[in-house]
Amino acid sequence: MTAAAATVDGALGALARAQRSALVVLAIRVVGAALAYGVQVLLARLLGKAEYGVYAAVWVWIAILGHGALFGVGQSVYRFVPHYRARGQDELARGFLAGGGWFVVASATTLAGLGGLALWLGRDAVGPLYLMPLAVALVILPLFALQDYVEGVARAFHWTALAIAPPYLVRPALIIAAMLALMAAGAPADPAVAMIAFAIAVALSLAAQAVLVLRRLRRTLPPGARAHRVREWVAASLPIAAVDFSTLGNSYIDVLLLSLLLPPEAVGLYFAATRILQFVVFVPYAATAATAGRFAEAGALDDQATLRAMVRRTVRLTTLATLATGAAVLLASPLLLAMFGPAFVAGVPLLAILIAGTVGQAACGPAEDLLTMLGAERLCAAVSVAALALAAGLGLALIPVLGTTGAALAMAITAVTRGAALALAARRRLGLSTHLLARDGA
């Protein structure tokens, strides 16, 4: 076999594996989105519109602080570990896996402690509605962060189903079971009890996932010598952390601003629309989960043919799947929102705006993954931080005038602008065209 033929075979094999992984992720996320939707409907029905808004705001803080506590380690694990294993540097892979785990535990625990101190000092300003739910959220924080890291470890070894099934299938099912069990035991239906149910679900799903990942690790990467390149890891992880913080901010800045500027009822209405949006968002997520680590592998081997082929296929399939899913969700949205309660049907126009922004962003391609996996994480961070500033500025300008519609418009405009800016950055820095209209991916 010639070298050229071997390269083509390698590219086709990588594409086939990535496609299979993407289909697995897609299937899990479809079922997971349905479960998550069921959780939100149940909570909205049990708590009522205003208290559901309180729960939503506190949940957003868990998501931001829990993911943010990793400071980029949750993503850099599936950049560095595949890179080291592709080059036969198993001692560095072991060092990163162990060091990353200890760092996440320490970071999240410290953050929870500081949050507890801030909550105690500002308890009068926080108010009784938010005080107990936030206190429970601080207990959840280290567990949530550690599960995020374990997911990243599984993705680094392409154990796609093991990476995402516990947080997206097992955890929502456990939330429902725990909430019903607590109420059957006499607990009231309020945001604090809902947070306790969430804590139980995170703890149990994390325990199961960690045991399974550790078992596979012992077989795939047996215990042995460890090596550390802390300076290199920190230098790469901090820009990724900036990207992660800004991505989280872009995902949740709308809910945070609404919780500051509008009453809890408006927050609950908007949050319900964003939960249904997850049926659409999981399509780009599936592509990321399946291909990000493979981008790192191809980059480590300087396999440009595989990179270009994966980029072309990813953007085309992702855009088409996002558009089709978005259209189907929008058609079903009156019924889906009515399940939360009759008042939630008013969220249909908000959902339409948010879906349009998601489709536009998908058409810009996997530029964020490429920049992060191939060493241009600082540029990606700069673009992402600028996008967060844009989202905050638009939100502050539009929400007081247009209310929840202003929040949706701000997020849709920011999503498309961020996607286009990242695509331009990938083209200039990496020589890879990621947008839908690119002909050859280069």
Side-chain angles (χ1 to χ4, degrees):
M1 179 182 293
T2 66
T7 298
V8 171
D9 286 346
L12 292 175
L15 281 172
R17 290 190 295 273
Q19 288 171 7
R20 286 194 296 270
S21 295
L23 288 175
V24 170
V25 174
L26 193 60
I28 292 174
R29 287 305 306 263
V30 168
V31 179
L35 279 171
Y37 169 75
V39 170
Q40 300 306 318
V41 167
L42 174 69
L43 293 177
R45 289 285 189 175
L46 291 175
L47 300 179
K49 195 175 178 182
E51 291 199 315
Y52 177 69
V54 173
Y55 170 85
V58 175
W59 184 92
V60 164
W61 278 113
I62 293 176
I64 291 175
L65 296 177
H67 291 301
L70 278 74
F71 288 97
V73 173
Q75 288 176 280
S76 59
V77 66
Y78 55 85
R79 168 184 168 181
F80 283 110
V81 171
H83 179 94
Y84 292 144
R85 299 202 70 226
R87 294 190 171 189
Q89 298 173 311
D90 286 354
E91 69 282 357
L92 285 169
R94 293 189 193 95
F96 191 102
L97 290 168
W102 283 111
F103 170 80
V104 169
V105 171
S107 170
T109 302
T110 300
L111 192 59
L114 293 174
L117 178 61
L119 185 62
W120 172 258
L121 295 175
R123 59 190 181 278
D124 294 333
V126 170
L129 273 178
Y130 284 93
L131 188 61
M132 283 306 298
L134 284 171
V136 179
L138 292 172
V139 176
I140 298 172
L141 186 57
L143 300 174
F144 191 93
L146 186 57
Q147 185 162 40
D148 206 13
Y149 180 70
V150 174
E151 178 185 345
V153 171
R155 288 174 62 179
F157 289 87
H158 310 309
W159 302 331
T160 308
L162 182 54
I164 66 173
Y168 295 104
L169 292 183
V170 178
R171 194 164 71 194
L174 288 173
I175 292 173
I176 295 174
M179 186 68 182
L180 294 177
L182 288 169
M183 292 183 62
D190 62 31
V193 172
M195 281 294 146
I196 293 173
F198 186 29
I200 293 170
V202 173
L204 293 178
S205 61
L206 168 61
Q209 186 179 26
V211 168
L212 293 173
V213 167
L214 287 172
R215 284 180 180 175
R216 286 200 185 185
L217 274 177
R218 291 190 187 100
R219 294 195 299 266
T220 307
L221 187 66
R226 297 176 183 175
H228 302 83
R229 293 180 179 173
V230 176
R231 182 173 297 180
E232 177 185 346
W233 298 341
V234 171
S237 295
L238 287 180
I240 292 175
V243 175
D244 212 16
F245 274 120
S246 58
T247 300
L248 289 166
N250 277 304
S251 298
Y252 301 120
I253 188 67
D254 46 355
V255 177
L256 293 180
L257 289 176
L258 285 170
S259 68
L260 294 174
L261 299 173
L262 297 180
E265 291 85 350
V267 179
L269 173 66
Y270 186 89
F271 190 71
T274 65
R275 295 310 88 195
I276 294 178
L277 181 68
Q278 297 307 303
F279 286 100
V280 183
V281 172
F282 69 65
V283 177
Y285 175 87
T288 293
T291 59
R294 301 190 190 279
F295 288 153
E297 287 178 349
L301 300 172
D302 196 25
D303 188 351
Q304 295 298 311
T306 297
L307 274 174
R308 291 191 175 94
M310 282 197 293
V311 168
R312 287 197 303 271
R313 185 66 62 88
T314 298
V315 67
R316 290 170 185 171
L317 292 180
T318 301
T319 304
L320 179 61
T322 304
L323 180 60
T325 306
V329 167
L330 190 58
L331 286 173
S333 61
L335 176 61
L336 294 172
L337 283 166
M339 296 295 292
F340 287 83
F344 287 89
V345 178
V348 171
L350 306 177
L351 184 58
I353 295 169
L354 293 169
I355 288 174
T358 302
V359 173
Q361 186 175 33
C364 296
E368 180 178 342
D369 291 337
L370 287 167
L371 291 167
T372 301
M373 295 296 107
L374 301 182
E377 61 277 353
R378 293 180 184 273
L379 179 56
C380 186
V383 173
S384 298
V385 170
L388 177 58
L390 175 64
L394 287 174
L396 289 171
L398 296 177
I399 290 174
V401 179
L402 300 175
T404 52
T405 301
L409 285 170
M411 298 312 295
I413 293 169
T414 300
V416 176
T417 303
R418 181 176 183 270
L422 289 170
L424 179 61
R427 171 63 181 173
R428 292 187 173 180
R429 177 63 64 86
L430 305 174
L432 294 167
S433 292
T434 65
H435 60 83
L436 182 62
L437 299 179
R439 293 186 177 181
D440 60 2

